[in-house]
Amino acid sequence: MEGLVYFSSATGNTRRFVERLGERRARPALRILGGPLSATAPFVLICPSYGDGEGRGSVPKPVIRFLNDPANRALLRGVIGAGNRNFGHLFAHAGGVVAEKCGVPLLYRFELAGTGTDIDRVDKGLEEFWTRLRERA
Amino acid sequence: MNIAHPSQRAALKAVNWNRIQDDKDLEVWNRLTSNFWLPEKVPLSNDIASWATLRPAERQLTIRVFTGLTLLDTIQSAVGAPALMPDAETPHEEAVLANIAFMEAVHARSYSSIFSTLCLTAEVDEAFRWSEENPHLQQKARLILDEYQATSDPLRRKVASVFLESFLFYSGFYLPMWWSSRARLTNTADLIRLIIRDEAVHGYYIGYKYQKAVERLPEEKRKELKDFAFALLFDLYEIEALYAAELYDEVGLTEDVKAFLHYNANKALMNLGYEALFPATATNVNPAILASLSPGADENHDFFSGSGSSYVIGKAVATEDEDWEF
């Protein structure tokens, strides 16, 4: 079954987002912690953005390690970026970097732990996204 | 650093950045130091012609808003960040707080750079007097300072600090973003964006330290702190609403400013690990303000929020790490 893979640092913003999304409907969700991790089904990645004022280092290292595994990358279907608009044009920059690097769509962006509106949109959006991909297959 | 009395003969400890207890300290130190800037970096004098096109009331509003922001930066630099140091859990946290205290001084200094570039001394002096006499500005600063007192609970100090960093500044930040959306004072807006970026990291970091300490507390104490945080936010919000009305009624922007306040109050709460308070209907920030806050960030198409019929592959600035293997 299609699922989510996410990274969340100790601040827990992305983790809280994924937990609240999980209250809407059950979806398998794997957390990237830094150790070896293998995805077993197609997934959407939820990735927060770090990095400096030039955008360097915005993708967390554990996410890079995870995506460096070709088997994981082959199952990546889309990216949702998390961030903060206070970072200006680099808002949720990591989401865009992964999307471009891996040739998958950037599906959505939200700030910090997301609002109720973000949860609604992502819940509905993911359902439609997977339905469409299944129809296309 | 807790300096024990010499008679206790406790060893004084030097900070060792090669022995990190909390990775967040190093991550935030690196981010803050790589973001370091000074107002001289921004060509403010390019705004002189634009400033001349503002009506007198608009100039007065702008200078007053900036003196209000200066006051908050002054407090955070001189009192707020230093007040958090005795509660630091690691020596690296103290170093990060020292950086925060210094950058707040840079922010406060930046407003004076704007003033000396664009304004007449008499106008600025009037605005500083205004900031000392304005009851709402003084009241919100006072509420925060009361929590910074040494006798206050260390975690309440962190809550107050996050509200200053992530909420109170925004009634002021709104104005340069609005000017920028109308192609006015665009260099000033560039400088303010550097401040806005710093404040995001400050609120994030102090909020993280708060969450970490709260996790270890018994349920009852956690609930008490959460109640305190929401009560303080309501008190500050009431004052902010009056402050905003007083400043922005004349230019007809008060309701627009309030939506921006609600939106930022939600973000401040998220920094503390709490859920958003204001519903979507109250946080409908003017898209021009959001675009001004993060220029160009919306050129990428968000599939879930758009009505697009095809997926668009993301485009990003191609500055990334070299350690991607593919």
Side-chain angles (χ1 to χ4, degrees):
Chain A
M1 184 188 167
E2 303 95 345
L4 296 168
V5 173
Y6 69 101
F7 175 79
S8 185
S9 85
T11 48
N13 278 324
T14 308
R15 176 182 53 76
R16 284 200 295 279
F17 181 86
V18 171
E19 283 168 4
R20 280 162 60 223
L21 192 62
E23 291 166 9
R24 296 297 170 88
R25 78 188 80 220
R27 290 188 178 91
L30 273 182
R31 181 171 180 177
I32 299 173
L33 290 166
L37 182 71
S38 296
T40 53
F43 67 91
V44 164
L45 176 73
I46 306 185
C47 183
S49 201
Y50 296 86
D52 63 14
E54 309 298 322
R56 285 181 299 252
S58 61
V59 183
K61 295 276 188 262
V63 173
I64 292 177
R65 278 199 292 277
F66 173 76
L67 291 174
N68 272 338
D69 179 344
N72 286 335
R73 216 158 60 236
L75 291 167
L76 173 67
R77 295 291 180 270
V79 184
I80 294 171
N84 188 332
R85 279 191 180 272
N86 285 36
F87 296 109
H89 71 284
L90 292 170
F91 163 49
H93 185 241
V97 170
V98 172
E100 188 179 38
K101 202 102 179 161
C102 299
V104 297
L106 177 66
L107 298 171
Y108 193 69
R109 291 171 306 169
F110 63 90
E111 291 189 89
L112 302 172
T115 63
T117 306
D118 295 321
I119 300 281
D120 290 342
R121 285 184 181 157
V122 170
D123 179 50
K124 184 165 164 285
L126 283 173
E127 286 310 292
E128 289 172 3
F129 178 68
W130 290 123
T131 303
R132 202 185 284 213
L133 286 197
R134 270 182 242 126
E135 283 167 359
R136 208 184 286 172
Chain B
M1 162 176 203
N2 292 313
I3 301 178
H5 193 271
S7 65
Q8 295 173 305
R9 296 276 175 204
L12 300 174
K13 292 189 176 179
V15 59
N16 180 355
W17 281 94
N18 297 314
R19 294 271 176 228
I20 297 285
Q21 290 105 297
D22 183 344
D23 292 337
K24 212 37 110 182
D25 293 336
L26 181 59
E27 174 200 313
V28 170
W29 171 270
N30 287 340
R31 176 123 49 130
L32 290 174
T33 51
S34 68
N35 281 352
F36 176 75
W37 59 277
L38 288 170
E40 290 74 16
K41 169 181 167 174
V42 182
L44 292 168
S45 59
N46 290 347
D47 280 348
I48 291 172
S50 180
W51 179 257
T53 68
L54 301 191
R55 291 186 291 117
E58 292 169 337
R59 284 186 219 168
Q60 185 187 59
L61 168 65
T62 306
I63 302 174
R64 285 183 174 182
V65 158
F66 286 168
T67 55
L69 289 169
T70 305
L71 177 63
L72 296 178
D73 282 315
T74 307
I75 289 172
Q76 198 63 351
S77 176
V79 187
L84 298 175
M85 285 192 195
D87 316 318
E89 299 206 326
T90 65
H92 317 97
E93 182 179 342
E94 289 179 300
V96 173
L97 291 168
N99 177 299
I100 291 176
F102 176 68
M103 279 318 289
E104 295 295 350
V106 171
H107 300 171
R109 198 263 170 271
S110 297
Y111 294 109
S112 289
S113 296
I114 296 171
F115 294 149
S116 61
T117 309
L118 303 178
C119 317
L120 302 172
T121 308
E123 295 174 319
V124 177
D125 287 345
E126 184 279 330
F128 273 96
R129 267 195 306 279
W130 172 87
S131 74
E132 287 163 30
E133 289 162 8
N134 184 275
H136 307 310
L137 179 59
Q138 289 290 318
Q139 205 185 348
K140 67 174 172 178
R142 192 62 65 191
L143 265 184
I144 293 291
L145 276 170
D146 285 347
E147 294 304 329
Y148 286 166
Q149 299 306 318
T151 50
S152 173
D153 179 324
L155 292 178
R156 284 171 56 145
R157 275 202 282 278
K158 288 189 173 66
V159 171
S161 213
V162 169
F163 285 159
L164 187 151
E165 300 271 15
S166 303
F167 173 59
L168 288 183
F169 279 121
Y170 290 84
S171 54
F173 288 156
Y174 174 89
L175 188 63
M177 294 302 105
W178 188 75
W179 284 133
S180 169
S181 76
R182 322 265 294 197
R184 307 276 190 91
L185 307 184
T186 54
N187 296 280
T188 301
D190 284 341
L191 182 148
I192 302 296
R193 276 190 211 94
L194 294 172
I195 299 180
I196 287 175
R197 182 179 76 184
D198 290 343
E199 307 304 6
V201 183
H202 299 174
Y204 171 87
Y205 180 72
I206 299 165
Y208 159 72
K209 291 289 180 180
Y210 172 79
Q211 289 183 55
K212 209 163 170 269
V214 164
E215 270 171 19
R216 296 190 297 257
L217 295 175
E219 180 59 33
E220 194 186 331
K221 180 71 184 158
R222 268 189 273 183
K223 190 181 171 302
E224 190 185 311
L225 279 164
K226 186 175 179 180
D227 290 346
F228 162 76
F230 278 78
L232 179 60
L233 184 71
F234 279 122
D235 289 347
L236 291 170
Y237 175 75
E238 270 185 41
I239 303 168
E240 277 298 80
L242 294 170
Y243 182 67
E246 187 174 32
L247 284 166
Y248 292 101
D249 269 358
E250 195 182 331
V251 287
L253 290 172
T254 305
E255 289 312 307
D256 217 33
V257 175
K258 279 190 186 168
F260 193 54
L261 294 184
H262 303 155
Y263 158 78
N264 284 292
N266 281 350
K267 287 170 72 175
L269 288 168
M270 285 192 247
N271 274 334
L272 291 170
Y274 298 132
E275 68 276 17
L277 170 72
F278 291 97
T281 47
T283 55
N284 225 339
V285 178
N286 181 348
I289 297 297
L290 286 184
S292 185
L293 192 59
S294 42
D298 296 307
E299 283 163 18
N300 279 337
H301 180 85
D302 278 345
F303 186 75
F304 290 171
S305 47
S307 54
S309 55
S310 64
Y311 300 112
V312 176
I313 305 298
K315 279 202 185 75
V317 192
T319 50
E320 246 319 301
D321 302 84
E322 53 300 322
D323 57 353
W324 294 75
E325 286 164 12
F326 58 94

